[in-house]
């Protein structure tokens, strides 16, 4: 896989919640660190996303913000 986005996080699908239009995918990057993605139902089906499958969370944005307490 080659992509131009600079931020990609490899992980495993921990949870899938399919809906009528979209699917919510929870990806565990490392134990205790999760990223949630909302993708279209069509993309969810084409990619064959299922729990336990290794995937990449790809972040494409012009800015990455940092916050502190």
């Amino acid at each position: 896989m080659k992509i131009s986005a600079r931020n990609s996080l490899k992980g495993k699908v921990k949870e899938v919640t399919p809906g009528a239009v979209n699917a919510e995918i929870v990806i565990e990057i490392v134990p205790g660190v999760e990223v949630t993605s909302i993708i279209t139902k069509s993309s969810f089906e084409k990619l064959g996303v299922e729990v336990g499958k290794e995937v990449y969370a790809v972040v494409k944005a012009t800015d990455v913000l940092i916050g502190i307490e």
Side-chain angles (χ1 to χ4, degrees):
M1 174 178 87
K2 291 185 181 184
I3 54 173
S4 63
R6 293 183 179 199
N7 303 303
S8 64
L9 307 167
K10 188 175 184 180
K12 286 192 178 180
V13 177
K14 183 175 180 180
E15 184 180 333
V16 174
T17 307
V21 177
N22 293 323
E24 181 176 301
I25 316 298
V26 178
I27 303 163
E28 187 171 52
I29 307 304
V30 295
V33 177
E34 299 174 352
V35 174
T36 301
S37 176
I38 307 281
I39 62 175
T40 64
K41 183 178 179 181
S42 174
S43 292
F44 165 72
E45 292 169 348
K46 286 178 188 175
L47 292 170
V49 176
E50 58 187 33
V51 173
K53 187 171 188 171
E54 199 167 82
V55 297
Y56 290 87
V58 180
V59 180
K60 183 175 181 189
T62 56
D63 300 303
V64 176
L65 306 178
I66 297 174
I68 60 172
E69 293 284 335

